[in-house]
């Protein structure tokens, strides 16, 4: 988020933990202000070339108007943080919030769930297709086994950990 804001982009983040939001601003030595907006907490940077605004609260409480000017989304750890029974609700909410043409860079992790119970949870290519194909075009951009770069995951018992990046583009279908 910081890199995008320093490059001049307006950044809108979503985080459920108040502590994590405050830690982000403190760790990056950024001044911020907070306010209530529609009964939710919003934090905003005040000393960058562009704005970082973070919605703190329940993702499912977001409204389409909150993302009205969003053109691109980076989902680095949301989908993989959710257990399987919540993923369809999440994908449907993502479709509801986005206008046609909005692009999402989705990063998933795939591993043998018998070796480790998440989070992060394993999300396969088939899972991505089942969750998003109705409302998004899906393009698999790249994948790599990153287990050697993740010693903590090895310690948890994984023998393979494949990171996959997808480009999702919201289509014109309505919910």
């Amino acid at each position: 988020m910081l890199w995008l804001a320093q490059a001049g982009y307006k950044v809108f983040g979503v985080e459920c933990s108040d502590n994590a939001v405050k830690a982000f601003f403190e760790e990056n030595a950024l001044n911020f202000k907070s306010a209530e907006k529609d009964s939710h907490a919003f934090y905003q940077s005040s000393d960058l070339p562009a704005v970082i605004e973070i919605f703190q609260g329940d993702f499912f409480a977001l409204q389409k108007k909150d993302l009205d000017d969003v053109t691109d989304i980076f989902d680095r750890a949301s989908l993989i943080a959710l257990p399987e029974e919540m993923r369809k609700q999440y994908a449907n909410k993502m479709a509801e919030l986005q206008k046609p043409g909005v692009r999402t860079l989705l990063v998933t992790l795939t591993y043998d769930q018998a070796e480790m119970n998440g989070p992060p949870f394993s999300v396969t290519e088939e899972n991505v297709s089942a969750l998003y194909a109705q409302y998004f075009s899906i393009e698999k951009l790249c994948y790599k086994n990153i287990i050697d770069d993740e010693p903590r995951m090895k310690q948890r018992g994984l023998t393979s950990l494949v990171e996959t990046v997808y480009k999702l583009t919201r289509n014109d279908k309505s919910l």
Side-chain angles (χ1 to χ4, degrees):
M1 289 191 311
L2 183 60
W3 180 84
L4 290 168
Q6 289 171 333
Y9 293 96
K10 180 180 176 189
V11 177
F12 179 80
V14 179
E15 174 58 55
C16 62
S17 166
D18 186 57
N19 289 339
V21 174
K22 290 176 182 172
F24 168 79
F25 285 109
E26 290 168 9
E27 288 168 10
N28 292 291
L30 297 174
N31 294 315
F32 67 93
K33 58 185 176 182
S34 63
E36 289 288 317
K37 183 176 175 184
D38 298 329
S39 74
H40 294 91
F42 275 83
Y43 292 79
Q44 190 175 67
S45 63
S46 55
D47 53 1
L48 288 171
V51 172
I52 295 177
E53 185 176 70
I54 301 177
F55 169 93
Q56 187 274 307
D58 181 2
F59 165 80
F60 295 101
L62 279 171
Q63 301 297 311
K64 193 170 187 158
K65 64 181 172 63
D66 296 323
L67 277 74
D68 197 41
D69 60 349
V70 170
T71 59
D72 296 279
I73 295 171
F74 182 46
D75 182 341
R76 173 70 182 93
S78 298
L79 183 64
I80 62 174
L82 297 173
E84 190 171 352
E85 59 272 9
M86 289 184 70
R87 292 182 199 154
K88 186 65 176 169
Q89 181 185 6
Y90 173 79
N92 285 343
K93 184 67 174 183
M94 289 293 284
E96 173 192 319
L97 292 170
Q98 295 178 40
K99 295 183 291 191
V102 171
R103 298 165 299 212
T104 299
L105 195 62
L106 173 67
V107 181
T108 64
L109 297 173
T110 306
Y111 60 88
D112 182 351
Q113 289 256 192
E115 294 180 345
M116 180 186 91
N117 195 15
F121 294 100
S122 181
V123 176
T124 66
E125 189 169 349
E126 292 78 16
N127 296 145
V128 171
S129 181
L131 291 169
Y132 292 101
Q134 184 176 358
Y135 300 110
F136 297 86
S137 66
I138 302 169
E139 182 182 350
K140 184 176 175 181
L141 299 177
C142 62
Y143 62 95
K144 180 181 178 185
N145 190 341
I146 61 169
I147 193 64
D148 291 333
D149 301 326
E150 298 292 338
R152 289 189 338 215
M153 294 300 199
K154 273 187 172 181
Q155 290 171 347
R156 290 179 68 182
L158 291 186
T159 56
S160 175
L161 180 65
V162 176
E163 182 177 66
T164 306
V165 180
Y166 300 90
K167 176 184 171 187
L168 310 177
T169 305
R170 181 66 167 91
N171 62 32
D172 292 337
K173 280 190 175 179
S174 298
L175 286 178

